[in-house]
Amino acid sequence: MTVEEFFDQVITVRMREDRSSLDIIDQTLLPGTIKRINLNTKEEIWEAIKKLRVRGAPAIGAAAAYGIALLASGIAGDQYDAFYSRFKELKDYLASSRPTAVNLFWALNRMEAAVTANKERDVTAIKELLFEEADKIREEDIQISRGIGEIGFGLLKELKKEGREIGILTHCNAGTLATAKYGTATAPMYIALEKGWPGTAMHVYCDETRPLLQGARLTSFELYNAGITTTLQCDNMASILMKSGKIDIIFVGCDRVARNGDAANKIGTSGVAILAKHYGIPFYVCAPTSTIDMDTLTGDQIPIEMRSPDEVTEMWYKERMAPEGINVYNPAFDVTDHSLITGIITEKGMCHAPYDKAFESLGIGR
Ligand code: MRU
């Protein structure tokens, strides 16, 4: 199977051609089962985001955009005010599914802006253009990932001059399954394949990513299928791996980047960054500009999603692996301090500290 064929098999989110429902790959079943499901109601869309059937910041944004377009198409009546008021209720409902990834709010706000900018048009036309706006968000995401990938590929090319396999570590899944194509943290590797590099030129070490195993279930599945040399390790093995000299560079994704460059990503990312600093390994955050939230000044202001205890005590195990009644701490994200980040790769260019100035000079937030 070529990489393109693989991408086609695992398309994260799309609207069915007849626009009757949202079609997603159910990521909770991967890697064992590749199954697509249809989402029709607001409850189904909300649940799919909440339960991580569709996940990863850009994919959540695309799902929300298609979701609100689908739900808006079912609003009865042709009066703009009534339509807009119901649209906002549905938007707020979808926005309550997950708190950390800013792409969810960004995509929903963009969809709302498409409504208000066209309020002079009739409601049928607005419903139509909402589908078009969602398509645009998805199409743009493909180009954004490519842009990030090209810049990351430049870093890989520099490392290739050393003439040996390039060791890359990543955490969680910021891959094709988290976006419309290419991923963000995986985009440099997919671009390398596109440019004719053999998969053996790179060796990607995937952190398992407890508790939801996105690294094991999703990233290692993706990269292995794409023909890239891939190794899976538990999160607590990253330190010995770095010490052994096997890691040349680290690429991670992000769910929200604050104005000062603090970056929220999957729980465990900040630990990876601290280790990378200790061992002198460059640590890059791959960030579509839609993930940069200039209204959030520092990482302290980023809301961190807390998730259910059973993800830690029971999920994936044959039997419960902790005493009944034990307290469980299960934050889904942590924030990597900007001082630990070598660079933030956006589709518009590479950013270095001071990040607020770097973002402004790329026109982010304007
Ligand atoms: O809880 P998840 O699986 O949605 O978390 C995903 C991540 O943390 C990703 O690294 C991030 O969303 C970037 S995806 C390009």
Side-chain angles (χ1 to χ4, degrees):
M1 190 178 15
T2 65
V3 179
E4 276 300 321
E5 283 164 352
F6 176 66
F7 283 154
D8 281 348
Q9 265 203 20
V10 295
I11 290 172
T12 46
V13 188
R14 65 184 170 205
M15 183 58 68
R16 280 177 62 99
E17 254 173 53
D18 62 4
R19 291 180 173 169
S20 60
S21 52
L22 193 52
D23 165 13
I24 64 162
I25 184 165
D26 185 344
Q27 298 195 36
T28 63
L29 305 177
L30 292 172
T33 306
I34 298 183
K35 183 177 173 212
R36 305 203 66 85
I37 54 172
N38 291 328
L39 310 175
N40 299 298
T41 65
K42 68 180 195 324
E43 290 82 7
E44 284 170 355
I45 299 166
W46 189 94
E47 191 266 0
I49 297 174
K50 178 75 187 170
K51 292 269 171 71
L52 276 59
R53 297 187 198 286
V54 55
R55 41 128 327 264
I60 293 171
Y66 278 123
I68 194 77
L70 177 70
L71 298 173
S73 72
I75 298 174
D78 54 10
Q79 291 302 309
Y80 175 82
D81 287 343
F83 170 80
Y84 181 45
S85 152
R86 180 69 186 136
F87 176 93
K88 280 200 296 190
E89 281 169 18
L90 292 164
K91 175 188 168 226
D92 290 347
Y93 176 72
L94 293 185
S96 69
S97 53
R98 294 191 77 189
T100 305
V102 78
N103 305 59
L104 173 64
F105 312 102
W106 169 87
L108 288 170
N109 287 339
R110 183 165 154 176
M111 296 298 279
E112 182 178 357
V115 173
T116 52
N118 289 282
K119 66 178 187 199
E120 305 311 335
R121 301 179 64 180
D122 66 51
V123 165
T124 311
I126 296 176
K127 287 178 178 174
E128 172 64 28
L129 64 84
L130 283 171
F131 283 114
E132 288 163 14
E133 192 67 14
D135 281 339
K136 267 194 230 157
I137 288 177
R138 191 171 175 280
E139 283 307 310
E140 284 168 19
D141 187 52
I142 296 176
Q143 297 316 319
I144 286 168
S145 288
R146 271 204 75 87
I148 291 171
E150 292 282 354
I151 296 171
F153 176 61
L155 298 170
L156 295 182
K157 273 199 298 198
E158 284 303 307
L159 289 166
K160 196 162 188 243
K161 287 184 190 153
E162 293 170 22
R164 59 187 168 85
E165 173 190 89
I166 302 167
I168 304 159
L169 185 136
T170 191
H171 190 80
C172 191
N173 175 266
T176 187
L177 288 161
T179 61
K181 197 174 174 180
Y182 300 111
T184 57
T186 56
M189 290 77 99
Y190 286 132
I191 298 293
L193 292 183
E194 264 192 19
K195 307 245 184 210
W197 281 27
T200 49
M202 304 162 277
H203 189 153
V204 183
Y205 291 85
C206 305
D207 276 348
E208 171 191 43
T209 319
R210 281 277 293 157
L212 292 181
L213 309 187
Q214 289 93 332
R217 295 188 305 107
L218 309 177
T219 310
S220 71
F221 163 75
E222 273 193 29
L223 298 176
Y224 182 69
N225 273 289
I228 294 171
T229 309
T230 305
T231 294
L232 172 66
Q233 69 283 341
C234 300
D235 300 335
N236 53 6
M237 298 166 189
S239 174
I240 188 167
L241 200 51
M242 291 189 207
K243 189 174 181 182
S244 73
K246 288 192 167 73
I247 308 297
D248 299 296
I249 192 165
I250 296 168
F251 292 122
V252 296
C254 55
D255 286 80
R256 191 185 298 222
V257 180
R259 179 186 279 264
N260 71 342
D262 292 348
N265 191 46
K266 181 51 54 192
I267 191 71
T269 305
S270 69
V272 173
I274 291 165
L275 289 171
K277 183 96 171 176
H278 180 77
Y279 290 113
I281 299 168
F283 178 95
Y284 289 95
V285 172
C286 300
T289 50
S290 53
T291 312
I292 299 172
D293 180 4
M294 295 297 268
D295 295 331
T296 296
L297 301 184
T298 73
D300 290 342
Q301 295 174 356
I302 299 177
I304 300 293
E305 177 183 13
M306 300 303 288
R307 293 188 63 90
S308 163
D310 64 284
E311 292 178 352
V312 176
T313 56
E314 283 158 72
M315 216 166 169
W316 321 117
Y317 293 129
K318 275 199 180 134
E319 58 188 270
R320 189 182 166 89
M321 279 294 139
E324 288 291 347
I326 195 75
N327 287 330
V328 174
Y329 181 56
N330 186 17
F333 300 95
D334 61 22
V335 174
T336 299
D337 193 88
H338 61 276
S339 64
L340 300 168
I341 299 172
T342 311
I344 298 181
I345 308 176
T346 77
E347 74 277 12
K348 295 188 175 176
M350 171 74 83
C351 298
H352 294 290
Y355 289 104
D356 53 350
K357 298 278 177 311
F359 296 154
E360 276 160 24
S361 73
L362 291 180
I364 296 166
R366 245 181 258 144

